[in-house]
Amino acid sequence: MTDYGLLLSMALTVGLPSLFVRRWPLKTTAGQSLTDVSISALGVGLIVGRIVNLLLDDPRSLTRLGDFLIIRSGVEFWAGAVAGTVVVARGARRDKVGVADRLADVAPAALVAQAGYHLTCIVRDGCYGPDWAAGPVPKGLMHGMFPVELVAAVVLVAVAVRLASRTLHPAIVALGGLSAIAAERSVTSIWLPRLGAGITRQHTTSIVISSVSAVGIVVLYLAQRRREPLPTPCAT
Amino acid sequence: MARPLQRLSRLGLVALGLAATVVVGGKALQTPSTEFTASGPARSLTAAGELTLTSADDFEGILVGLRGRPVIVNIWASWCRPCRTEAPLLARAGREHGGDLVILGVASKDTFGAADDFMDEYALDYPNVFDQSGDIRQRLALRGFPTTYFFDRRGILVATVVGGISERRLAAQIADVTR
C-alpha cells in the first residue's frame, strides 16, 4: 500500500506547518488559523498542478476522471505553487492586508510544509540520492544512498526559522522563501535518480525561478538600503 | 476531579489512536517479499512491439533464456489506470536503457484486442506477452495491478514494486540491477 505513504506525506505536509506556527504565529491573519488561510490555496494548487501535469505529459487523460485523480502520478509543482500563491494573495486583499505582508507571513510555513513532504520519503518511494555506502538502503535496492531529501528538509526548516524572525522586508521574506524552495528543488533534481541523462523539467524551471527571485531579493534589498536614513554620527 | 480524568481519558484516546495508526500503517507499508525463480527450457524473447499469446511455461522459458541480462517484468492491463500513467515511463526506460536490460510486459486479466490497442496508444515498443489463462500472474504471486518485477543478471528476483512506479523508483532500480 504505497498510497498509505502518500497519505502520511499529506498528513505531515499539513501537520508540521501547524506545529511551526505555534512557535512562530502568523501576524497578518487577525485570528484566522494557518488552515483557514491556506486550505483553499492547497486545494487549488493541487488541482491546477495536476491539470498542468496532464496537459504536458498526457492530454488524453484530461477526459478521464479516474486518471486525473491519481495524484501520485504527478503534480506540476510550480504551476500549483503559482495558483496557490494567487489564492493567498486574493485572501490578503479580502482581509485588507498587504499582499507582500501575507505572503511573507505564510512563506516560512510553506517551507516547513515542503520539508515535511521531503521527510516522508522514508515511507514513500524511498530516500534516494547519489551512491553512498554508509547511507540508508532504499526499499528494493541493494546499495546505500545519500538521503538528499532528508538533508533538503533540514535546510528548508533552518531557512524557515530564519525567515520567521522577520527582521527583513516582507517582500524579501516572500522572495527568500520562493528562492529557497526553487534552489532546493533544482539541487535535489540533480541528485535524485531519473531516466536518461537529460536535464529534467523540474530542474530547468526551478533554476529559472531561483535565479529570478534571487535577483529580485538583491534589487529589493538595495532599494531598501537606499531608503533607510543614514545613521547619525556621534556628537563630539 | 472530573477534569483531570477527562484530560487523561482524552490523552489516552489520542495515544491509542496514534498507536493504532502506527501499527496499521507499519503493516500497510510492509511489502511481502515475492519468491520466484524461473525454470524450464530456455525460450527466445518474443518480438519487440508485439503482443504474443504466451503460456506460463513459455514465459518462464523466456526469463531463463534472458539470464545474463537484467530483466524488468511489468504486469499490466488496459483497464488499469495507474498502468496508463506508468506506461510512458516504461516505454522511455526501454528506449534509454534498451542496450543494458530487457523490459518484458505481461498483459493479464484483459482482452487481447484491448491490450493490443493499449500498446499502440502508448507506443510500447518492448516485447509484451498476453497471459490469457492468468497463470503467469499467479506464478508471480501478483497482488495488484500494475506490478513491476526486477530480475538481476542471474535471474534472481531482487525487487517487486506493487502499484504504479514513479520515475525516481524506476531509475533507481534500473541503476541497481544494471550495476
Side-chain angles (χ1 to χ4, degrees):
Chain A
M1 284 181 63
T2 48
D3 288 329
Y4 190 86
L6 194 62
L7 271 177
L8 278 179
S9 291
M10 299 294 284
L12 217 64
T13 302
V14 171
L16 268 186
S18 300
L19 290 176
F20 182 84
V21 297
R22 280 175 177 266
R23 171 64 182 86
W24 289 277
L26 299 177
K27 291 185 178 147
T28 66
T29 53
Q32 295 177 79
S33 68
L34 176 66
T35 308
D36 294 332
V37 169
S38 61
I39 193 70
S40 306
L42 189 63
V44 169
L46 272 175
I47 291 169
V48 170
R50 185 76 187 120
I51 290 173
V52 173
N53 179 263
L54 291 177
L55 275 171
L56 291 172
D57 286 346
D58 186 17
R60 292 165 298 191
S61 293
L62 282 169
T63 58
R64 301 180 194 126
L65 181 62
D67 291 357
F68 176 83
L69 292 175
I70 305 174
I71 289 180
R72 195 176 182 278
S73 67
V75 174
E76 207 62 26
F77 179 85
W78 287 114
V82 166
T85 302
V86 167
V87 172
V88 170
R90 285 173 60 97
R93 285 180 169 270
R94 190 184 56 237
D95 297 339
K96 295 181 176 37
V97 167
V99 170
D101 292 319
R102 176 61 59 84
L103 291 177
D105 214 11
V106 301
L111 291 180
V112 171
Q114 178 77 349
Y117 181 76
H118 282 314
L119 277 174
T120 55
C121 62
I122 300 165
V123 294
R124 284 183 285 110
D125 275 342
C127 298
Y128 299 115
D131 286 346
W132 188 39
V137 179
K139 194 167 44 177
L141 299 189
M142 295 176 279
H143 302 87
M145 285 186 161
F146 183 79
V148 167
E149 288 193 80
L150 295 182
V151 173
V154 170
V155 170
L156 284 174
V157 169
V159 173
V161 169
R162 176 66 188 93
L163 291 179
S165 64
R166 212 78 58 76
T167 57
L168 302 165
H169 189 278
I172 292 179
V173 172
L175 282 175
L178 177 66
S179 190
I181 287 187
E184 171 267 312
R185 287 181 69 81
S186 67
V187 169
T188 54
S189 69
I190 297 169
W191 296 112
L192 291 173
R194 60 188 185 277
L195 292 175
I199 203 166
T200 63
R201 196 164 66 216
Q202 170 177 317
H203 194 190
T204 46
T205 51
S206 297
I207 284 175
V208 167
I209 291 168
S210 177
S211 306
V212 167
S213 54
V215 166
I217 289 170
V218 169
V219 165
L220 280 169
Y221 181 71
L222 290 175
Q224 186 184 8
R225 285 290 301 270
R226 219 171 280 141
R227 271 199 293 268
E228 280 169 5
L230 292 171
T232 311
C234 296
T236 53
Chain B
M1 194 61 187
R3 275 201 188 160
L5 279 176
Q6 275 180 352
R7 200 176 297 157
L8 269 174
S9 63
R10 219 176 288 155
L11 280 173
L13 275 173
V14 169
L16 195 64
L18 276 173
T21 305
V22 167
V23 167
V24 170
K27 287 282 181 197
L29 290 170
Q30 279 173 7
T31 315
S33 58
T34 305
E35 306 225 343
F36 173 82
T37 306
S39 59
R43 298 250 187 272
S44 53
L45 187 60
T46 54
E50 286 186 14
L51 184 65
T52 311
L53 186 63
T54 303
S55 69
D57 287 339
D58 285 347
F59 168 76
E60 286 202 37
I62 290 172
L63 291 182
V64 169
L66 287 173
R67 279 181 189 154
R69 297 175 73 185
V71 179
I72 299 174
V73 172
N74 173 250
I75 300 190
W76 58 274
S78 62
W79 46 262
C80 151
R81 297 191 199 285
C83 302
R84 275 206 285 274
T85 57
E86 72 171 16
L89 277 181
L90 288 162
R92 191 148 58 97
R95 289 189 290 273
E96 297 275 355
H97 299 278
D100 305 321
L101 52 77
V102 173
I103 299 181
L104 177 62
V106 178
S108 190
K109 211 173 183 181
D110 208 344
T111 62
F112 193 93
D116 203 33
D117 289 344
F118 182 95
M119 283 185 60
D120 290 337
E121 187 179 352
Y122 289 97
L124 301 185
D125 46 12
Y126 50 83
N128 277 265
V129 299
F130 186 68
D131 176 28
Q132 187 164 44
S133 61
D135 287 343
I136 296 176
R137 69 172 187 264
Q138 282 194 8
R139 289 196 191 179
L140 288 170
L142 182 80
R143 289 172 56 232
F145 282 85
T147 297
T148 309
Y149 304 84
F150 294 84
F151 295 86
D152 67 8
R153 296 174 202 281
R154 298 165 295 170
I156 295 174
L157 178 59
V158 294
T160 304
V161 179
V162 181
I165 193 167
S166 66
E167 178 177 354
R168 211 170 282 180
R169 182 89 189 258
L170 180 60
Q173 295 284 175
I174 287 174
D176 214 46
V177 294
T178 55
R179 194 178 292 270

